[in-house]
Structures are given as structure tokens and as C-alpha cells.
Amino acid sequence: MIEFIKKIKKNLIRKTVKHMTPNTNIKSLSEFIEFVNHQEHRHISQWFFRGHNDKSYELVPSLFRIDRKESWANWDSIEKYIMRQFKAESRPYIKSIPNNDIEWLTMAQHYGLPTKLLDWTTNPLVALYFAVENYKNKKDANVWLYGLSSTNNCWSESTWLAKKINLSGNICENIIFPSHLDSRITNQSGCFTIHEIPERDQPFIPLNESPRIFDTFIKITIDKDKKQDILNELYYVGIHRGFIYPGLEGLTSRLKFEIETTHKRTTLMTK
């Protein structure tokens, strides 16, 4: 009976993936919101989002982007060394010491140390901000959507809890919803996927190229010439550097944006 249920779920997931909207290009904030809203939300329990300011970037954790040839070490020894040193040397600067290895990894990732974590957000507008923030690099950007199939219920209407209740099960064993160690994680609706070190020091295969049966990936591309316009549209709805990075750094960055960044001013007035 259990195998029969598993077979039904697999067939349902295959049908869900088959009917997913294909990758697309967007030119405005409204197009982005419309596209996200019209994705599968009945058979997907949760969508996660990640923005890249250069569409050539892959879904690879920062640890596995290190050039091992220069360090003369394997992935495992690199991770053990940098985490050991981070734990030993960071304590004078930490207000609250992490309670376990996951919290240490989260903090290390948060402050830019290469780890086997990959940043995601449950807020699509935050991901879009990261994609378009650096509009001066003159590169096309993208936002990845990562969907986890629902194994709890697929009713046409339910509460948010009922939809997400399976996020604590085996299907989400690679998802980390971290403790909110500071307001950045809170405002960014941050979460992570955690990944195994490749066997025999093989290169890490990008996440979207080795999906599990429960995983769905969709890519939204943003033309480089539209990034500044979308950044200004995000500012209008309160998604700016002051929100993304709450504190003095975010405040000063937002003020610089306001005095340095031009934006188009539409009008309803007719001549």
C-alpha cells in the first residue's frame, strides 16, 4: 500500500512539472509579480527564490566555487579549516554564540565565508532586488524559482499552514530556515539549501542540473537594460538597500541611491 501511494505521488509530481510555465524574460516589476503569481501553487508547497546579477552564475554554493588548485586541498579539508578558524577567531565579535554546527554555518555564510550553503529567500521581491541591484555591471540578470512539491494536500483552497506543513519532512531535509540572528535575515526572508561535499572531490553539479523528483526549477531572465528601471520600481514599493540591509549601512546606501540614481517619472497629464 505504501509503495502504491508513493507511485501515485511520483506520477502527480511528474504531471505537475510537465505543466509548469517555461523559463521566461520579464521587463518590469508588474510582469515579474504576474509571472510568479501564475505559477503552480496547488501542487507546490513552497517556492524559494534566488537572484543573480549576472545570468551566467550557477546554483553552486560558494565553497565549491573555490579554486582548489591554488589551495592544494580537497573540499573537506578546506571546509574543516575555515570553519575551525572562524569558530575560534570570531567569538570576540559575536553577541550570541551559535548553539550548533548549523547555526555556525549560517553565521559564517551571513558574513561572507565560503560554505556549502546556498542562499534563498521566500520573498520573490528580495530575490529580484539582488538580481537588479548592480545594474551598472551591464550584464543580463536572472531569478531562479525553486519549488518543492506538496505531499500534504493539494486542495484548491487551504490555509498557509496546511500548504506548508510538509516543509519539516524528508522532502525538505536540505532546506534550512535559520534562527533570526539579526534583522537582515528577517527582512530578507532568508533561508538556505545545504549540500553534500561531492565524492572523490568531483566538481559540484549545479542544483538545477541534478534535481530530485520533488524539485522544480524555473528561471526568469532580466535584460541588462531593464535592471535600473526595475530597481526604481522596487524602491517605490519599499524594497531598497535600507530594507534589505537594516541599520546604518543600509540607511546610508539608501540615501546615496536617492541622490545618485535617476528614474523615469510617468504622468497622466495630457497636453
Side-chain angles (χ1 to χ4, degrees):
M1 183 65 179
I2 294 176
E3 291 301 319
F4 177 72
I5 293 174
K6 286 182 178 178
K7 185 175 181 180
I8 291 177
K9 287 182 177 179
K10 286 183 179 180
N11 288 335
L12 176 60
I13 291 165
R14 288 194 187 99
K15 290 179 180 179
T16 302
V17 172
K18 182 178 179 182
H19 289 90
M20 287 294 174
T21 306
N23 300 339
T24 191
N25 289 67
I26 61 101
K27 298 179 181 179
S28 66
L29 174 58
S30 60
E31 285 187 9
F32 178 81
I33 294 174
E34 182 179 9
F35 183 83
V36 171
N37 282 339
H38 284 81
Q39 292 311 304
E40 178 63 47
H41 293 285
R42 186 168 175 178
H43 299 290
I44 294 291
S45 61
Q46 178 69 63
W47 284 104
F48 301 94
F49 307 88
R50 177 178 171 84
H52 290 155
N53 62 42
D54 183 337
K55 71 175 184 180
S56 67
Y57 293 165
E58 297 181 307
L59 295 179
V60 176
S62 54
L63 176 65
F64 307 123
R65 298 178 219 150
I66 294 175
D67 186 352
R68 290 186 296 109
K69 295 178 182 178
E70 297 298 325
S71 62
W72 293 87
N74 57 35
W75 299 127
D76 188 56
S77 60
I78 291 173
E79 183 192 36
K80 287 180 179 177
Y81 170 74
I82 58 179
M83 287 305 302
R84 182 176 66 247
Q85 295 306 118
F86 181 76
K87 290 178 181 180
E89 299 180 36
S90 63
R91 292 176 185 268
Y93 314 107
I94 298 175
K95 295 179 180 179
S96 178
I97 303 298
N99 295 312
N100 52 54
D101 286 342
I102 292 298
E103 289 189 3
W104 275 111
L105 266 177
T106 300
M107 179 172 285
Q109 173 81 2
H110 181 65
Y111 285 101
L113 194 70
T115 74
K116 56 187 178 185
L117 301 181
L118 195 61
D119 292 274
W120 296 86
T121 174
T122 55
N123 186 335
L125 300 188
V126 169
L128 181 60
Y129 176 86
F130 285 125
V132 302
E133 178 185 22
N134 185 9
Y135 63 88
K136 294 181 180 180
N137 70 354
K138 301 300 181 182
K139 294 180 182 295
D140 293 343
N142 64 35
V143 172
W144 279 98
L145 282 66
Y146 170 31
L148 290 177
S149 296
S150 178
T151 58
N152 178 48
N153 75 66
C154 297
W155 300 111
S156 59
E157 184 175 335
S158 70
T159 65
W160 290 102
L161 171 62
K163 178 182 178 183
K164 298 180 179 181
I165 200 167
N166 66 294
L167 290 178
S168 60
N170 292 334
I171 188 175
C172 296
E173 60 187 358
N174 69 322
I175 302 291
I176 296 174
F177 293 96
S179 299
H180 287 204
L181 301 175
D182 67 20
S183 53
R184 287 189 181 184
I185 294 177
T186 302
N187 281 22
Q188 295 175 17
S189 301
C191 53
F192 308 95
T193 48
I194 185 169
H195 304 275
E196 297 292 334
I197 293 176
E199 295 182 0
R200 298 184 297 276
D201 286 327
Q202 294 297 310
F204 183 88
I205 300 174
L207 187 59
N208 58 297
E209 295 180 13
S210 56
R212 303 172 304 167
I213 190 170
F214 295 104
D215 296 342
T216 298
F217 291 94
I218 298 174
K219 181 170 61 175
I220 301 174
T221 302
I222 302 109
D223 186 82
K224 59 182 180 293
D225 296 328
K226 297 298 180 181
K227 290 166 72 172
Q228 184 175 354
D229 290 342
I230 294 174
L231 187 63
N232 280 309
E233 290 178 318
L234 286 169
Y235 177 87
Y236 276 124
V237 296
I239 306 297
H240 46 66
R241 199 166 178 85
F243 173 82
I244 298 293
Y245 301 106
L248 293 178
E249 178 189 349
L251 171 60
T252 56
S253 296
R254 194 208 80 212
L255 293 175
K256 284 186 64 179
F257 175 86
E258 290 176 353
I259 63 176
E260 294 178 349
T261 307
T262 59
H263 66 283
K264 297 175 182 177
R265 303 175 66 185
T266 58
T267 180
L268 301 178
M269 301 289 290
T270 58
K271 294 181 178 179

Short mmCIF file of all heavy atoms in Angstrom, two decimals, residues 154-186:
data_model
loop_
_atom_site.label_atom_id
_atom_site.label_comp_id
_atom_site.label_asym_id
_atom_site.label_seq_id
_atom_site.Cartn_x
_atom_site.Cartn_y
_atom_site.Cartn_z
N CYS A 154 -3.38 18.86 -1.71
CA CYS A 154 -3.39 19.66 -2.94
C CYS A 154 -4.79 20.21 -3.18
O CYS A 154 -5.27 20.28 -4.31
CB CYS A 154 -2.93 18.81 -4.13
SG CYS A 154 -1.23 18.22 -3.98
N TRP A 155 -5.44 20.61 -2.10
CA TRP A 155 -6.78 21.17 -2.22
C TRP A 155 -6.73 22.49 -2.96
O TRP A 155 -5.72 23.18 -2.98
CB TRP A 155 -7.40 21.39 -0.84
CG TRP A 155 -7.53 20.14 -0.02
CD1 TRP A 155 -6.84 19.83 1.12
CD2 TRP A 155 -8.40 19.02 -0.27
NE1 TRP A 155 -7.21 18.60 1.59
CE2 TRP A 155 -8.17 18.07 0.75
CE3 TRP A 155 -9.33 18.74 -1.27
CZ2 TRP A 155 -8.85 16.86 0.81
CZ3 TRP A 155 -10.02 17.53 -1.22
CH2 TRP A 155 -9.77 16.61 -0.18
N SER A 156 -7.84 22.85 -3.56
CA SER A 156 -7.91 24.11 -4.31
C SER A 156 -7.85 25.32 -3.38
O SER A 156 -7.55 26.43 -3.82
CB SER A 156 -9.18 24.16 -5.15
OG SER A 156 -10.33 24.05 -4.32
N GLU A 157 -8.16 25.10 -2.09
CA GLU A 157 -8.10 26.19 -1.12
C GLU A 157 -7.70 25.63 0.24
O GLU A 157 -8.19 24.57 0.65
CB GLU A 157 -9.46 26.87 -1.02
CG GLU A 157 -9.48 28.09 -0.10
CD GLU A 157 -10.81 28.81 -0.12
OE1 GLU A 157 -11.52 28.71 -1.14
OE2 GLU A 157 -11.13 29.48 0.88
N SER A 158 -6.76 26.30 0.90
CA SER A 158 -6.34 25.84 2.23
C SER A 158 -5.64 26.98 2.94
O SER A 158 -5.38 28.03 2.35
CB SER A 158 -5.39 24.63 2.11
OG SER A 158 -4.14 25.02 1.58
N THR A 159 -5.30 26.77 4.20
CA THR A 159 -4.53 27.77 4.93
C THR A 159 -3.07 27.69 4.51
O THR A 159 -2.63 26.71 3.90
CB THR A 159 -4.62 27.53 6.45
OG1 THR A 159 -4.01 26.27 6.75
CG2 THR A 159 -6.07 27.54 6.91
N TRP A 160 -2.30 28.73 4.86
CA TRP A 160 -0.86 28.70 4.56
C TRP A 160 -0.19 27.58 5.32
O TRP A 160 0.74 26.93 4.82
CB TRP A 160 -0.24 30.05 4.91
CG TRP A 160 -0.66 31.15 3.98
CD1 TRP A 160 -1.58 32.12 4.23
CD2 TRP A 160 -0.20 31.35 2.64
NE1 TRP A 160 -1.73 32.93 3.12
CE2 TRP A 160 -0.89 32.48 2.13
CE3 TRP A 160 0.71 30.70 1.82
CZ2 TRP A 160 -0.68 32.96 0.85
CZ3 TRP A 160 0.92 31.19 0.53
CH2 TRP A 160 0.22 32.30 0.06
N LEU A 161 -0.63 27.31 6.53
CA LEU A 161 -0.05 26.23 7.31
C LEU A 161 -0.28 24.89 6.65
O LEU A 161 0.65 24.07 6.51
CB LEU A 161 -0.64 26.21 8.73
CG LEU A 161 -0.27 25.00 9.59
CD1 LEU A 161 1.23 24.95 9.82
CD2 LEU A 161 -1.02 25.03 10.91
N ALA A 162 -1.52 24.65 6.21
CA ALA A 162 -1.84 23.37 5.58
C ALA A 162 -1.02 23.15 4.32
O ALA A 162 -0.63 22.04 3.99
CB ALA A 162 -3.33 23.31 5.25
N LYS A 163 -0.74 24.25 3.62
CA LYS A 163 0.05 24.15 2.39
C LYS A 163 1.50 23.82 2.68
O LYS A 163 2.15 23.07 1.96
CB LYS A 163 -0.05 25.47 1.62
CG LYS A 163 0.76 25.51 0.34
CD LYS A 163 0.65 26.87 -0.33
CE LYS A 163 1.50 26.94 -1.59
NZ LYS A 163 1.46 28.27 -2.20
N LYS A 164 2.02 24.39 3.78
CA LYS A 164 3.46 24.28 4.06
C LYS A 164 3.81 23.22 5.10
O LYS A 164 4.97 23.07 5.45
CB LYS A 164 3.98 25.63 4.57
CG LYS A 164 3.84 26.77 3.58
CD LYS A 164 4.39 28.05 4.18
CE LYS A 164 4.29 29.21 3.21
NZ LYS A 164 4.85 30.46 3.78
N ILE A 165 2.82 22.48 5.59
CA ILE A 165 3.05 21.62 6.73
C ILE A 165 4.11 20.55 6.47
O ILE A 165 4.78 20.08 7.37
CB ILE A 165 1.72 20.97 7.20
CG1 ILE A 165 1.86 20.49 8.64
CG2 ILE A 165 1.30 19.85 6.26
CD1 ILE A 165 0.53 20.14 9.28
N ASN A 166 4.26 20.16 5.19
CA ASN A 166 5.24 19.13 4.88
C ASN A 166 6.67 19.67 4.78
O ASN A 166 7.61 18.94 4.51
CB ASN A 166 4.90 18.42 3.57
CG ASN A 166 5.01 19.33 2.37
OD1 ASN A 166 4.24 20.26 2.23
ND2 ASN A 166 5.96 19.07 1.50
N LEU A 167 6.86 20.98 5.02
CA LEU A 167 8.20 21.56 4.90
C LEU A 167 9.15 21.08 5.99
O LEU A 167 10.34 21.34 5.94
CB LEU A 167 8.13 23.09 4.94
CG LEU A 167 7.51 23.75 3.70
CD1 LEU A 167 7.45 25.25 3.87
CD2 LEU A 167 8.30 23.38 2.46
N SER A 168 8.65 20.36 6.98
CA SER A 168 9.51 19.82 8.02
C SER A 168 9.81 18.34 7.80
O SER A 168 10.48 17.72 8.60
CB SER A 168 8.85 19.99 9.40
OG SER A 168 7.60 19.31 9.44
N GLY A 169 9.33 17.78 6.71
CA GLY A 169 9.53 16.36 6.45
C GLY A 169 10.78 16.07 5.65
O GLY A 169 11.61 16.93 5.40
N ASN A 170 10.91 14.81 5.20
CA ASN A 170 12.10 14.38 4.48
C ASN A 170 12.29 15.11 3.16
O ASN A 170 13.41 15.28 2.68
CB ASN A 170 12.03 12.87 4.22
CG ASN A 170 12.15 12.07 5.50
OD1 ASN A 170 12.72 12.53 6.48
ND2 ASN A 170 11.59 10.86 5.49
N ILE A 171 11.16 15.53 2.55
CA ILE A 171 11.25 16.21 1.27
C ILE A 171 12.05 17.51 1.40
O ILE A 171 12.64 17.99 0.44
CB ILE A 171 9.84 16.50 0.72
CG1 ILE A 171 9.90 17.03 -0.71
CG2 ILE A 171 9.11 17.50 1.60
CD1 ILE A 171 8.53 17.22 -1.33
N CYS A 172 12.10 18.06 2.60
CA CYS A 172 12.78 19.34 2.83
C CYS A 172 14.01 19.18 3.70
O CYS A 172 14.43 20.13 4.37
CB CYS A 172 11.83 20.35 3.46
SG CYS A 172 10.46 20.78 2.40
N GLU A 173 14.61 18.01 3.71
CA GLU A 173 15.75 17.77 4.57
C GLU A 173 16.96 18.62 4.19
O GLU A 173 17.87 18.80 5.00
CB GLU A 173 16.14 16.29 4.53
CG GLU A 173 16.52 15.79 3.14
CD GLU A 173 16.74 14.29 3.11
OE1 GLU A 173 16.61 13.67 4.18
OE2 GLU A 173 17.01 13.75 2.02
N ASN A 174 16.98 19.17 2.97
CA ASN A 174 18.10 20.02 2.56
C ASN A 174 17.80 21.51 2.73
O ASN A 174 18.61 22.36 2.37
CB ASN A 174 18.47 19.75 1.10
CG ASN A 174 17.39 20.21 0.13
OD1 ASN A 174 16.20 20.08 0.42
ND2 ASN A 174 17.80 20.75 -1.00
N ILE A 175 16.62 21.86 3.30
CA ILE A 175 16.24 23.25 3.50
C ILE A 175 16.50 23.66 4.95
O ILE A 175 16.13 22.93 5.88
CB ILE A 175 14.75 23.50 3.18
CG1 ILE A 175 14.44 23.08 1.73
CG2 ILE A 175 14.38 24.95 3.41
CD1 ILE A 175 15.06 23.97 0.69
N ILE A 176 17.13 24.81 5.15
CA ILE A 176 17.37 25.34 6.49
C ILE A 176 16.66 26.68 6.63
O ILE A 176 16.91 27.61 5.85
CB ILE A 176 18.88 25.54 6.75
CG1 ILE A 176 19.62 24.20 6.71
CG2 ILE A 176 19.11 26.23 8.09
CD1 ILE A 176 21.13 24.34 6.81
N PHE A 177 15.76 26.76 7.60
CA PHE A 177 15.16 28.03 7.98
C PHE A 177 15.88 28.48 9.25
O PHE A 177 15.62 27.97 10.34
CB PHE A 177 13.66 27.88 8.24
CG PHE A 177 12.86 27.55 7.01
CD1 PHE A 177 12.52 26.24 6.70
CD2 PHE A 177 12.45 28.56 6.17
CE1 PHE A 177 11.79 25.94 5.56
CE2 PHE A 177 11.71 28.27 5.01
CZ PHE A 177 11.39 26.96 4.71
N PRO A 178 16.83 29.40 9.11
CA PRO A 178 17.73 29.70 10.24
C PRO A 178 17.07 30.51 11.34
O PRO A 178 16.05 31.18 11.13
CB PRO A 178 18.83 30.52 9.56
CG PRO A 178 18.12 31.23 8.45
CD PRO A 178 17.11 30.23 7.94
N SER A 179 17.67 30.43 12.52
CA SER A 179 17.29 31.35 13.59
C SER A 179 17.60 32.77 13.11
O SER A 179 18.60 32.99 12.44
CB SER A 179 18.08 31.04 14.86
OG SER A 179 17.82 29.73 15.32
N HIS A 180 16.75 33.70 13.47
CA HIS A 180 16.95 35.08 13.01
C HIS A 180 17.99 35.76 13.89
O HIS A 180 17.66 36.46 14.86
CB HIS A 180 15.61 35.82 13.01
CG HIS A 180 14.71 35.38 11.90
ND1 HIS A 180 13.71 36.17 11.37
CD2 HIS A 180 14.67 34.23 11.18
CE1 HIS A 180 13.09 35.52 10.40
NE2 HIS A 180 13.65 34.34 10.27
N LEU A 181 19.26 35.52 13.53
CA LEU A 181 20.36 36.03 14.33
C LEU A 181 20.46 37.55 14.26
O LEU A 181 21.00 38.18 15.15
CB LEU A 181 21.68 35.39 13.87
CG LEU A 181 21.73 33.86 13.96
CD1 LEU A 181 23.02 33.34 13.36
CD2 LEU A 181 21.60 33.42 15.41
N ASP A 182 19.98 38.13 13.16
CA ASP A 182 19.91 39.59 13.08
C ASP A 182 18.79 39.99 12.13
O ASP A 182 18.15 39.15 11.50
CB ASP A 182 21.25 40.21 12.69
CG ASP A 182 21.68 39.89 11.27
OD1 ASP A 182 20.82 39.51 10.45
OD2 ASP A 182 22.87 40.01 10.97
N SER A 183 18.54 41.29 12.02
CA SER A 183 17.39 41.79 11.26
C SER A 183 17.54 41.59 9.76
O SER A 183 16.55 41.63 9.03
CB SER A 183 17.16 43.27 11.57
OG SER A 183 18.34 44.03 11.38
N ARG A 184 18.77 41.38 9.28
CA ARG A 184 18.93 41.14 7.84
C ARG A 184 18.22 39.86 7.42
O ARG A 184 17.54 39.82 6.39
CB ARG A 184 20.41 41.05 7.47
CG ARG A 184 21.15 42.37 7.50
CD ARG A 184 22.55 42.21 6.92
NE ARG A 184 23.30 43.46 6.96
CZ ARG A 184 24.51 43.62 6.44
NH1 ARG A 184 25.12 42.59 5.85
NH2 ARG A 184 25.12 44.78 6.51
N ILE A 185 18.42 38.80 8.19
CA ILE A 185 17.78 37.53 7.86
C ILE A 185 16.26 37.69 7.88
O ILE A 185 15.54 37.16 7.03
CB ILE A 185 18.22 36.43 8.83
CG1 ILE A 185 19.73 36.14 8.65
CG2 ILE A 185 17.43 35.15 8.60
CD1 ILE A 185 20.28 35.12 9.62
N THR A 186 15.77 38.47 8.86
CA THR A 186 14.32 38.70 8.97
C THR A 186 13.79 39.45 7.75
O THR A 186 12.84 39.01 7.10
CB THR A 186 14.00 39.50 10.24
OG1 THR A 186 14.50 38.79 11.39
CG2 THR A 186 12.51 39.71 10.38
#
